[in-house]
Amino acid sequence: MIAVLAGVLALLALGGVGMSRSRRASGIVYGVSLLLSSALGLVGLHALLAAGPETVALPLGLPWVGAHFRLDALAGFFLLIINLGGAAVSLYAIGHGRHEHDKARVLPFYPWFLAALDLVVIADDAFTFLFAWELMSLVSWALVLAHHRAPGTLRAGYVYLVMASLSGLVLLLAFGLLAGANGGYAFALMRTTRPTPGIAGLALMLALIGTGAKAGLVPLHVWLPLAHPAAPSHVSALMSGVMTKVAVYAFVRIAFDLLGPPPAWSAVIVLLLGGASACLGILYALMESDLKRLLAYSTVENVGIVFIGVGLAMAFQASGFALGAALALTAALFHVFNHAIIKTLLFCGAGAVLSATGERDMDRLGGLIHRLPQTSVAMLIACAAIAALPPLNGFVSEWLTFQAILLRPALPQWGLKLMIPADGALLALAAALTAACFVKLFGIAFLGRPRSDAAREAHELDRFSRAAMLGLAAISLLVGIFPGVLVDVLAPVMREMFGARLAAQTPLPWLSLIPVAASRSSYNGLLVFLFIAFSTAATILAIHRVTSRSARRAPAWDCGFPDASAITQYSGASFAQPLRRVFAATLFGARETVTLPPPGDMAPARIEKALPDPIWDRLYAPFERLIGRLADFLNPLQFLTIRRYLVFVFLALVSLLLALALSQ
Amino acid sequence: MHAISFDVAKLLAGGLVLASFLMIYQVRLLAMLNVLGGHAFILALAIAWQAHVQDAPELYITAAITLIFKAALLPEALRRIVIRLGIHREIENVTSLGAVMLAGVGLVALSLEVMLPVTARTDPLTRIDIALALSVVLLGLLMMVTRRNAVSQVAAFLSLENGIDLAAAGAEGMPLVVEISIAFSVLVAFLVVGVFLFRIRERFDTVDMRALDAFRGDRK
């Protein structure tokens, strides 16, 4: 516990080093961040496996509350995730950060961001928690604005700041409700007091809004695809891979730890939002051609999957089915781990592409597998993992989520009985669309022929960046092959939350994964991996044995059009067109218009697509207009005379006094 | 507690409210400054009486400061400003004085209505003092709102400050540091306002605040 606080302090101090204008500051900041993150990650792992929670109270902050910190299994697990991601990104940034042209806008904030993330998960009272939460928001906002001259960044920062304030405000209200009239702001007090069902439900919904706005849950996700891509790539990796996970942590902490068993109706809402996020997120991603925005939308989808798991756990807990709750939350936390690894890797890869070519638009990339072979291998593994292909880690968590969904008959409530299969369908759809989306990403950006000179002349990155990406890919593969280890590591969290855990997985023969019962379902990543490896090797051997050994290079078949330009290849938009027609036409109101010139006219034919965002148009735009109108209405208040301001003060005072007199 | 100490405290606090009413009614500047001096004088008496009743000798110092600064120096300085500005013969045009007086009566009733139940469990001496002090504050605000002349707004502000002093003295006996700092802040405010008055006059040839409004283009 002391070690964690010391680490956080060291990170905060490191921000001071980042302010120096020395040329070596970049290497020092990222190098030391790497060391500190590794150490903190190990501490997290130790806390996860250690016996009981550790607490520390410091006389800081509010005088009558103090600052409480607690390191239990849940906090340990998230500390592990944060610092695993933090260490990988720091290693990546030792190399990648050198290309940053405005270092003074990134270096001081980067270690602070890591420190704030760590601080959120060990906070044990509402004040410390909200302080860390706001520090996290504010520092990440500063990082988003690092490239403030790029078009759209200022707007992204503004929308992010508004949504972050909303999240902070709503969480403040939620903690206020939890603390009750006596002001028990320490989490230890909140655990022992049980609010009335009405208050508990309200606090839970506020917590859902507050954490959902940070995690990027539909319809609170609007800032995410703006802000995450606007930041420097390694910061995007942290924001998408790690910060959204901290929001999940906050929700899990409030829903399962601070509140008692949740009401069943709240599980329905969480499931609904989770399913909607999963599907809409990946549909948005499919329509996107900007590499980093696509990844950000994919984050929305994965957060949806995590919240489906969390909602299932709430449903099972509401009906007292501890084993089901443990399975569902294990699936959710497993996915949290997976997504942290994969999305960090994907954003690092996108950063590599960006610094190699200067392009984020997929329709100007292509053929990068020849220019960036190692990055391509890492990205291929990440794409396969996020598309949930066995034997990689992404498959395991989605499979576990489905296992939890299949436990549905154990539930008595009709609302849940109807909602959970619907979520299962949405999850299956999202998984399929994810596969399509990442086939598109890899196929368009890395395969084919280069669509621009920048892509044609791309160069592989430095050793540090490649090591970070390949390391993350290796973790992804290893966790996929030995999923039982992670499930067992999560067992203390489940025991803490529900008093129940899944059966131990590591002693099972052949390292199988059997979440409920062997007669029901089992998965063996090791066997799948060995099968794939052997069959691939055998096929290659067979082909080489049977066919000629000499490789021939011949021109690709050009459909009878010699010298085809590279832009006649399939583009991202054309790849997504069938799906856009099927889903987006009704859901988003996407329209295509084809303009053919009349015969004899030499003008080119044009195809134009319009892709409105109904969530922004229906939900946010009216708000924006309302606030604009209110501001216009109140504007004259800024130009009153002193005497009139005095009249306002006077009238406010008198009316308050009157209210007081009347209420007595 | 002696009945007499209670009655005297009540009398002095009530006198302060009465003086506030006198100020609101007074439209000639020099006369109003005289009333302001009287206002502070009654306040000094009230504080001294509190010192006697509470047996708190440091309050005598407060009373002395009030007497010297607020009852003598400040009105005198304001009088000189008014004479140097050459507006000592002016009669300020306040619309519907009667309605303002009625509103003031309402405010006193309101502050009694609010304060008496809230302070029901405290010392009766403090109780009446705080209720009447709130009336003085509200009356000061009312006067600031209804006057247009900068000098009378300053005077109204000073009377408002007197009300705060009364409440503070009645409650516990005010720490001397607080009192001195308040006295200094009033002095600084007075200096700044005095400078401003001359600056305003230099530019606009009047200290009627309507001239400033017109300058900003609010009123044609």
Side-chain angles (χ1 to χ4, degrees):
Chain A
M1 187 69 233
I2 301 295
V4 178
L5 286 175
V8 168
L9 273 183
L11 281 172
L12 287 177
L14 193 58
V17 177
M19 284 178 205
S20 84
R21 300 219 165 256
S22 149
R23 199 175 302 154
R24 281 182 305 173
S26 167
I28 294 174
V29 166
Y30 292 124
V32 178
S33 293
L34 168 64
L35 292 180
L36 287 172
S37 290
S38 314
L40 284 170
L42 287 178
V43 173
L45 188 61
H46 174 75
L48 187 55
L49 302 175
E54 271 184 84
T55 55
V56 169
L58 295 180
L60 296 172
L62 290 186
W64 60 94
V65 179
H68 300 259
F69 300 97
R70 186 166 185 266
L71 188 56
D72 54 9
L74 183 65
F77 177 66
F78 276 91
L79 209 56
L80 175 67
I81 290 183
I82 291 170
N83 290 296
L84 197 56
V89 171
S90 300
L91 178 61
Y92 174 80
I94 292 178
H96 183 260
R98 270 188 233 141
H99 311 302
E100 186 65 50
H101 41 81
D102 209 352
K103 292 197 177 80
R105 288 187 177 275
V106 178
L107 286 184
F109 301 115
Y110 178 81
W112 288 351
F113 188 36
L114 287 177
L117 291 167
D118 287 328
L119 213 51
V120 171
V121 296
I122 59 168
D124 197 34
D125 65 79
F127 180 76
T128 313
F129 181 91
L130 285 174
F131 175 77
W133 185 265
E134 292 294 311
L135 183 67
M136 176 177 89
S137 300
L138 210 57
V139 173
S140 54
W141 172 75
L143 286 168
V144 166
L145 286 189
H147 298 161
H148 62 112
R149 290 210 169 78
T153 302
L154 286 180
R155 180 179 145 79
Y158 179 67
V159 175
Y160 177 39
L161 200 60
V162 169
M163 292 306 282
S165 317
L166 172 78
S167 142
L169 173 71
V170 172
L171 275 183
L172 181 71
L173 294 179
F175 282 124
L177 283 178
L178 284 174
N182 300 327
Y185 285 103
F187 284 177
L189 286 174
M190 291 185 194
R191 281 188 193 97
T192 49
T193 50
R194 286 278 164 263
T196 57
I199 295 286
L202 190 59
L204 191 60
M205 285 304 107
L206 287 174
L208 181 63
I209 295 174
T211 56
K214 201 87 203 147
L217 211 55
V218 168
L220 302 165
H221 67 284
V222 283
W223 62 274
L224 197 145
L226 297 174
H228 285 191
S233 295
H234 59 292
V235 178
S236 310
L238 271 189
M239 288 179 76
S240 232
V242 176
M243 191 171 73
T244 54
K245 307 306 171 295
V246 172
V248 172
Y249 161 82
F251 186 71
V252 169
R253 174 66 78 195
I254 294 173
F256 295 103
D257 191 14
L258 302 185
L259 281 166
W265 58 264
S266 63
V268 176
I269 293 180
V270 175
L271 284 169
L272 183 70
L273 291 184
S277 301
C279 264
L280 289 178
I282 199 63
L283 274 176
Y284 277 119
L286 258 171
M287 306 301 137
E288 197 53 63
S289 68
D290 180 315
L291 202 54
K292 287 176 80 175
R293 277 174 68 96
L294 183 150
L295 294 178
Y297 274 124
S298 150
T299 297
V300 174
E301 179 236 344
N302 282 283
V303 163
I305 295 177
V306 170
F307 269 89
I308 289 178
V310 172
L312 284 170
M314 289 166 72
F316 287 123
Q317 205 197 8
S319 36
F321 182 25
L323 194 64
L327 173 58
L329 195 62
T330 302
L333 295 187
F334 205 127
H335 199 75
V336 161
F337 181 86
N338 288 345
H339 184 246
I341 298 293
I342 303 171
K343 194 45 67 71
T344 306
L345 171 52
L346 282 170
F347 264 110
C348 288
V353 171
L354 183 59
S355 57
T357 64
E359 287 289 346
R360 272 165 48 176
D361 187 355
M362 286 198 297
D363 290 337
R364 295 183 55 76
L365 297 172
L368 292 178
I369 197 165
H370 301 295
R371 309 293 310 177
L372 313 172
Q374 296 186 18
T375 306
S376 301
V377 169
M379 283 295 269
L380 181 60
I381 292 179
C383 288
I386 204 161
L389 292 187
L392 295 163
N393 58 352
F395 174 76
V396 183
S397 52
E398 291 199 22
W399 182 77
L400 282 173
T401 311
F402 275 114
Q403 295 307 313
I405 287 175
L406 293 177
L407 287 179
R408 166 190 69 97
L411 290 173
Q413 295 90 350
W414 272 103
L416 288 171
K417 279 196 181 200
L418 291 174
M419 191 63 228
I420 292 178
D423 254 12
L426 287 176
L427 187 57
L429 178 63
L433 291 175
T434 310
C437 178
F438 281 89
V439 166
K440 167 182 144 179
L441 188 154
F442 195 80
I444 302 297
F446 288 88
L447 303 181
R449 285 188 294 148
R451 291 178 180 79
S452 65
D453 289 339
R456 204 166 291 122
E457 279 144 28
H459 282 290
E460 187 67 286
L461 262 77
D462 51 281
R463 280 169 302 153
F464 294 108
S465 310
R466 278 176 291 159
M469 287 191 284
L470 292 174
L472 284 171
I475 293 177
S476 169
L477 184 63
L478 280 177
V479 171
I481 296 176
F482 306 108
V485 180
L486 189 60
V487 171
D488 279 0
V489 163
L490 279 168
V493 182
M494 300 306 135
R495 215 181 296 122
E496 219 172 62
M497 297 281 143
F498 308 114
R501 54 162 294 181
L502 301 182
Q505 305 290 333
T506 31
L508 291 175
W510 284 96
L511 296 170
S512 286
L513 188 62
I514 302 177
V516 187
S519 59
R520 224 182 152 108
S521 54
S522 68
Y523 166 69
N524 192 318
L526 182 61
L527 286 185
V528 172
F529 174 68
L530 291 179
F531 171 73
I532 291 176
F534 276 119
S535 56
T536 313
T539 313
I540 292 173
L541 265 179
I543 288 175
H544 277 271
R545 191 57 56 84
V546 174
T547 63
S548 144
R549 275 173 177 275
S550 60
R552 281 184 302 142
R553 271 195 178 266
W557 184 56
D558 51 15
C559 300
F561 291 96
D563 289 337
S565 151
I567 53 168
T568 58
Q569 297 176 94
Y570 242 51
S571 70
S574 46
F575 186 87
Q577 193 208 31
L579 289 165
R580 191 171 69 231
R581 284 199 176 157
V582 173
F583 293 102
T586 43
L587 213 52
F588 299 159
R591 291 283 168 273
E592 276 175 21
T593 43
V594 181
T595 322
L596 284 175
D601 192 345
M602 297 298 280
R606 298 189 66 83
I607 177 164
E608 279 167 18
K609 65 177 179 106
L611 193 62
D613 183 351
I615 292 180
W616 182 270
D617 293 344
R618 303 248 168 86
L619 202 63
Y620 288 85
F623 254 117
E624 212 179 353
R625 280 198 295 273
L626 179 71
I627 290 174
R629 231 177 280 150
L630 267 182
D632 282 346
F633 176 69
L634 294 177
N635 200 22
L637 278 186
Q638 292 192 53
F639 306 104
L640 293 184
T641 60
I642 300 171
R643 211 169 67 94
R644 262 183 237 173
Y645 283 124
L646 275 177
V647 170
F648 276 126
V649 172
F650 180 65
L651 288 182
L653 184 62
V654 169
S655 50
L656 284 179
L657 285 175
L658 264 179
L660 189 63
L662 291 178
S663 67
Q664 274 166 2
Chain B
M1 172 174 315
H2 306 295
I4 182 74
S5 63
F6 179 66
D7 284 344
V8 171
K10 207 168 170 179
L11 175 72
L12 290 172
L16 207 59
V17 175
L18 192 63
S20 286
F21 273 108
L22 282 178
M23 274 180 76
I24 289 182
Y25 192 72
Q26 195 51 260
V27 289
R28 275 175 301 176
L29 290 179
L30 285 184
M32 190 188 64
L33 292 178
N34 289 340
V35 179
L36 179 67
H39 198 272
F41 179 69
I42 300 174
L43 173 69
L45 282 185
I47 295 176
W49 187 253
Q50 288 289 348
H52 169 66
V53 172
Q54 294 178 16
D55 203 10
E58 70 273 15
L59 275 183
Y60 283 118
I61 304 177
T62 310
I65 292 176
T66 309
L67 194 64
I68 297 169
F69 275 97
K70 292 185 186 158
L73 289 183
L74 276 182
E76 181 55 33
L78 274 175
R79 194 193 324 273
R80 285 191 184 176
I81 288 179
V82 167
I83 292 174
R84 273 182 60 192
L85 287 170
I87 52 173
H88 51 289
R89 288 185 203 288
E90 260 179 44
I91 293 175
E92 203 181 354
N93 191 9
V94 183
T95 45
S96 55
L97 257 181
V100 173
M101 293 294 277
L102 277 179
V105 173
L107 287 178
V108 174
L110 175 66
S111 58
L112 289 177
E113 183 63 26
V114 170
M115 275 303 170
L116 291 184
V118 171
T119 53
R121 262 172 283 165
T122 52
D123 177 12
L125 191 67
T126 320
R127 221 177 137 194
I128 198 74
D129 255 11
I130 288 188
L132 290 177
L134 182 64
S135 323
V136 174
V137 170
L138 288 180
L139 289 175
L141 259 178
L142 179 68
M143 187 171 160
M144 283 181 86
V145 167
T146 50
R147 294 300 174 104
R148 294 191 193 284
N149 189 301
V151 176
S152 30
Q153 284 188 348
V154 173
F157 173 73
L158 291 173
S159 80
L160 184 154
E161 206 266 344
N162 285 348
I164 296 173
D165 257 13
L166 179 68
E172 281 283 300
M174 189 160 31
L176 198 58
V177 182
V178 178
E179 165 56 26
I180 290 176
S181 59
I182 288 181
F184 267 110
S185 69
V186 169
L187 203 65
V188 170
F190 169 76
L191 288 176
V192 172
V193 167
V195 171
F196 262 95
L197 280 179
F198 281 104
R199 301 285 302 171
I200 292 170
R201 223 280 298 259
E202 247 170 54
R203 287 211 183 256
F204 301 104
D205 250 356
T206 173
V207 285
D208 190 327
M209 296 308 247
R210 272 180 294 189
L212 267 78
D213 300 351
F215 176 67
R216 285 189 357 165
D218 280 6
R219 214 164 298 184
K220 278 87 199 174

